[in-house]
Amino acid sequence: MLLRHTPKEITERKALMINPAKTCQPIGAMYAALGIKGCLPHSHGSQGCCAYHRSTLTRHYKEPISAATSSFTEGASVFGGQANLLQAIDNIFTVYEPDVIAVHTTCLSETIGDDLPQIFDKAKKEKKVPEGKTVLGANTPSYVGSHVTGFSNMVKAMAALAEPSTKKNGKINIIPGWVEPCDMEEIKRLATLVGAKTNLFPDTSGVLNGPLTGEYKMFPDGGASIDDIKNSGSSIGTLALGEWCSADAARLLDTQCKVPCAILDMPFGLQATDRFIDALRTIAGTSVPDEIAAERGTLVDMISDMHQYLYGKKVALVGDPDQVIAMTEFLVAIDMCPVHIITGTPGKKFEARIKEITADMGHKVNVKAKGDMFLLHQWIKNEPVDLIIGNTYCKYIARDEDLPFVRWGFPILDRQGHQHFPTVGYKGGLRLLEKILGVLLDRKDRDDPEEKFELVL
Amino acid sequence: MGKAQKLVQWTPHNIKEKLLEKYPPKVARKRAKQIMINEALENTTPEIVANVRTIPGIITMRGCTYAGCKGVIMGPTSDIVNLVHGPIGCSFYAWLTRRNQTDGINEGNENYIPYCMSTDMQDSDIIFGGEKKLEKAIQEAYDLFHPKAIAVFATCPVGLIGDDIHAVSKKMKEKFGDCNVFAFSCEGYKGVSQSAGHHIANNQVFTHVVGKSETEKTEKFKINLLGEYNIGGDGFEIDRIFHKCGITNISTFSGNSTYDKFASANQADLSAVMCHRSINYVADMLETKYGIPWIKVNFIGAEATAKSLRKIAQYFDDQELIDRVEAVIAEEMPAVEVALQAVLPRTKGKTAMIFVGGSRAHHYQELFNEMGMKTISAGYEFGHRDDYEGRHVIPSLKVDADSRNIEEIHVEADPVLYKPRKTPEEIAALEKDGLEFKAYEGLNPDMAPNTIIVDDLNQYEAEKLVELMKPDLFCAGIKEKYSIQKLGVPMKQLHSYDSGGPYAGFKGAVNFYSEIDRLVNSRIWSYMKAPWQEKPELSATYCWE
């Protein structure tokens, strides 16, 4: 047993976090910054953070993750990191020539109180920022919220670049939230089918799912351009996908540029995708093509075809709040029973939403925000489940408890595919369903006695 | 890349110039001192600048002091609860990401490696201090697990807000009575790299654990293996060989280690040092306090393994052991030879670059030599000058302002336990027979003339080196892997071994030969261009045959 010291009996912990279902802010900011075209993320702190964040993103995407750091020393940690950041900006523009540097902070620079805007002003005055280049920044203290908060803070910093305009360009801003590059592609594909002109940011498609060609581009062709981000102030509306990831940026666009916004769930599963498509066509004033209706119908068809294997199956689910909320709704929609639900990210709304979604299930649901995977494991020991859905760290629980396991969320360190095959939209729903059914039926095939072993399922 | 391959023959001086030409003048001056062309003269090598602060914004490969302390030295220990005092990230990123394997995984043992424990500091802890939360977290860990020991690690904000983790640990240790609690002030901003964290870990483990064991070790040939972290099972393979030879490994620092093994380290009669950088402090302290001499060994490479075993046997000066070691080598080598001959025709003459932490950039050259491959450029992330130039430069090393605050602890001979393992005459005789004590010659003398040695290589220089020198293989870590592969160059991770291994010892050499053969001779690297990209011009209209 890998986690043999986890007792079944649950005692309340007030200070000790074990096996977290979250990590810290800056990695989210780094991921968001990679969704800006020509952007080098920069970590204003000591260099260990940057190395860890790059490594984790690289292990998840199997792609190069470039980011620079201020490399604080003890001296800078006491007297301030201004000189380090000024030097870094100069070196980065000279050596790596990005169009944009997106700076985030760490617990170090936040604790000492470095003032990013003041340092940026100084860099500009000292001509360390070349003509036409952009430096933006977000405060991402690691001791507040989680990686999701850091993502949101960097997206908000992007929205802050938006320029108010009285002339609308007919586009709809879509803030996709922390989804995979392929998911961003899928969201764009759906929007195009609906006939909506969109401005999507951040956009990591083409950045973190690139080809192998014999040429290394530190700044691949993908990403949302700074001009597009600035023009988001001219859009007719904003669709923010995910309260935790995207709402702050959307609200800022509303207050700053008077671009009205709607905050939706991330389009995972049937109903959340329905609402997304419906909102898109309403704002764009278009009608939804039959092609999308057919995609939807295919998903409903697959649910009905395989319903007997899904019905009543108990699921433990762990991940980031926006994703987990949408997934819970999908599981309930296909008559599965999510019974243990954890996110590591704080936020009271999470528990309320999950309770609302699962209210009619007729089954007690354990739910906790700011929870950890140690507690999740204890819940599973007390009430076993048929399936666990979450990131790679779940594999330790899955193995110990002999559970079918679907990898979904961040980070996935031990499998490929998640960066290439979307799980948003109706097509993504098909893939989620295929994965869920695959592990459930593999388990049935493994466990059925020989006389009950079936060819056709 | 593509068509114009190897048309230009660069000299090493050209290459160095090219690496520096894009830098702002100040940066170029600094980097010039960390990039050297190896001249490998008889007794001296040119001086390199190392262990200095990282240039901001340069995209370094380096990590931090916390990583060197918790991640590297203490991470592999299975039955000590490692509790990180800080916001969640530091603990999360060091959670199972280094592949130090443990047989603590077996039932009956304590094994906390799959657990990630943190005080998960919040803004209120930053404002009002986190000592109370730390105290409570230690109590909760004790109540849940009842471990032998709890180790507490500081992260960046801990030092800044002034939490006294040592006082809290001491208080809890006294309160528990049956659980050793000790702390590491390994804030990420200390020093300039992981290296400072090694030093801090060495000091605290030596102070709080070594010598604390009550059980007496009575085996005949007792050694400590220092600086071996059991990545991919390296330590298991080395232990297998020791066992066959009749050598007892009292403690490995710190692959597959346990509290009791650390605590018994003072009972060994020899320390064998693998990774000089990370553990030479413990090696020196074991000698000063307990009288245990140390020698440098290397179990990376079959020849190196045989050589290291012979050194250990020579030290114990026991004919039975010497014969046994020779018998084991004779028994193990044929399989190695078969594996080597199978790959040699395909690996001979190929070139490699190695940029890894603080020791592997040197050790792995043995394996490449065996395969007929030449290392044309190498360097460390965080080696010190002695790791490049040899320990003879240590007296001339100046501790600069960035590393001055790393604690140096003073150790004296233990009034009870100090026992010189050899008389000065015995030592002198062994030295006369070629066994060197407290000696490490470093990376530079083992590299060919005109190879390029780079300290703290960065993204820009890595790309430039590959572009100019076109190696057949590039070795570094996960952050470098995919950018190098995008260039169409095979890349081998020598931190994580790309989930492979072991690569140490005899079986490890066999694994490594076939892995490198697979990589450098893979068909993948011929797929970079689609047929229509290789011949884009249409010379005639297509006609059906």
Side-chain angles (χ1 to χ4, degrees), chain A residues 67-330:
Chain A
T69 161
S70 297
S71 293
F72 272 57
T73 56
E74 191 159 16
S77 306
V78 177
F79 301 113
Q82 174 176 290
N84 292 55
L85 185 50
L86 289 174
Q87 270 183 57
I89 289 171
D90 190 24
N91 290 337
I92 291 166
F93 279 126
T94 310
V95 179
Y96 295 104
E97 304 176 59
D99 295 326
V100 187
I101 299 176
V103 182
H104 59 260
T105 57
T106 68
C107 46
L108 174 55
S109 49
E110 286 295 327
T111 303
I112 65 176
D114 272 355
D115 181 354
L116 289 186
Q118 176 263 321
I119 300 174
F120 294 166
D121 278 348
K122 197 167 162 66
K124 280 170 201 154
K125 276 193 199 109
E126 291 178 4
K127 307 246 179 286
K128 291 189 161 77
V129 182
E131 204 60 40
K133 305 269 180 172
T134 307
V135 178
L136 72 143
N139 292 93
T140 53
S142 316
Y143 43 78
V144 175
S146 75
H147 57 297
V148 176
T149 322
F151 180 91
S152 168
N153 284 340
M154 183 52 83
V155 178
K156 193 178 169 190
M158 292 179 202
L161 298 176
E163 288 159 0
S165 160
T166 46
K167 210 170 153 244
K168 296 295 174 191
N169 60 17
K171 287 185 180 175
I172 301 166
N173 298 323
I174 300 183
I175 307 179
W178 190 323
V179 290
E180 299 286 337
C182 53
D183 291 325
M184 301 198 186
E185 255 160 34
E186 177 65 7
I187 288 167
K188 284 190 284 188
R189 186 188 69 92
L190 286 170
T192 308
L193 280 177
V194 174
K197 284 194 289 175
T198 58
N199 183 3
L200 183 124
F201 70 90
D203 182 3
T204 56
S205 64
V207 181
L208 296 178
N209 51 358
L212 177 57
T213 60
E215 188 187 359
Y216 168 57
K217 287 184 182 168
M218 182 177 274
F219 308 106
D221 299 332
S225 76
I226 281 291
D227 285 343
D228 282 345
I229 293 171
K230 284 180 180 166
N231 285 335
S232 64
S234 309
S235 294
I236 53 171
T238 303
L239 273 184
L241 307 182
E243 172 77 39
W244 274 258
C245 286
S246 309
D248 282 356
R251 292 192 186 111
L252 182 70
L253 282 170
D254 197 343
T255 50
Q256 184 173 289
C257 304
K258 305 280 174 276
V259 179
C261 66
I263 293 150
L264 301 179
D265 288 319
M266 283 182 174
F268 293 107
L270 185 67
Q271 287 129 321
T273 306
D274 283 350
R275 294 194 294 271
F276 170 63
I277 300 289
D278 209 34
L280 256 184
R281 62 122 193 188
T282 311
I283 302 170
T286 57
S287 48
V288 180
D290 292 346
E291 203 177 335
I292 289 185
E295 284 180 17
R296 183 181 189 278
T298 317
L299 178 58
V300 175
D301 187 63
M302 185 164 166
I303 298 168
S304 78
D305 290 347
M306 303 306 274
H307 184 255
Q308 71 193 84
Y309 302 107
L310 305 166
Y311 180 74
K313 292 283 188 299
K314 289 183 182 175
V315 187
L317 178 60
V318 56
D320 300 332
D322 293 326
Q323 290 87 335
V324 168
I325 285 169
M327 182 60 108
T328 303
E329 191 188 24
F330 185 44

Side-chain angles (χ1 to χ4, degrees), chain B residues 443-498:
Chain B
L443 170 144
N444 299 6
D446 281 344
M447 288 195 67
N450 288 324
T451 51
I452 296 176
I453 296 170
V454 187
D455 181 63
D456 187 15
L457 184 82
N458 57 52
Q459 175 66 38
Y460 172 74
E461 290 164 10
E463 224 185 299
K464 264 281 177 260
L465 276 177
V466 169
E467 179 195 315
L468 297 173
M469 298 178 82
K470 303 194 193 319
D472 296 301
L473 180 69
F474 190 93
C475 305
I478 183 73
K479 300 192 297 297
E480 296 74 42
K481 182 174 179 78
Y482 298 100
S483 62
I484 298 296
Q485 287 193 170
K486 293 278 185 204
L487 289 164
V489 173
M491 198 289 179
K492 179 69 196 166
Q493 292 186 65
L494 285 188
H495 296 273
S496 77
Y497 301 167
D498 296 294

Side-chain angles (χ1 to χ4, degrees), chain B residues 224 265-271 283 286-287 290-294 421:
Chain B
N224 295 318
N266 59 306
Q267 298 191 44
D269 292 320
L270 173 71
S271 294
L286 281 171
E287 176 155 24
Y290 302 108
I292 308 170
W294 70 264
R421 289 348 193 236

Side-chain angles (χ1 to χ4, degrees), chain A residues 3-6 14-17 19 22-23 47 53 63 69 91 95-97 143 211-215 393, chain B residues 22 27 54-58 63 93 95 105 109 111 115-116 118 120 123 140 189 192 460 485-486 529:
Chain A
L3 299 167
R4 76 173 73 101
H5 302 293
T6 305
K14 286 205 156 93
L16 181 65
M17 162 86 69
N19 298 356
K22 67 166 181 182
T23 181
Q47 67 209 7
H53 301 145
E63 287 288 316
T69 161
N91 290 337
V95 179
Y96 295 104
E97 304 176 59
Y143 43 78
L212 177 57
T213 60
E215 188 187 359
Y393 284 100
Chain B
K22 205 176 179 188
V27 174
T54 315
I55 296 166
I58 206 75
Y93 302 115
W95 183 15
I105 212 84
N109 295 325
N111 176 28
Y115 293 92
C116 165
S118 169
D120 184 29
D123 43 1
E140 288 175 357
Y189 54 75
V192 298
Y460 172 74
Q485 287 193 170
K486 293 278 185 204
K529 292 275 172 280

Side-chain angles (χ1 to χ4, degrees), chain A residues 343-390:
Chain A
T343 186
T345 299
K348 285 193 186 120
K349 279 186 196 161
F350 177 79
E351 292 178 15
R353 264 312 293 284
I354 296 290
K355 280 182 182 147
E356 190 185 304
I357 293 167
T358 56
D360 298 334
M361 257 177 44
H363 194 289
K364 185 181 174 285
V365 176
N366 286 318
V367 55
K368 193 164 164 44
K370 274 182 103 170
D372 58 28
M373 286 165 65
F374 190 79
L375 176 64
L376 182 77
H377 192 177
Q378 290 182 308
W379 280 349
I380 292 171
K381 281 177 183 288
N382 284 285
E383 185 185 353
V385 294
D386 302 299
L387 174 70
I388 182 166
I389 301 177

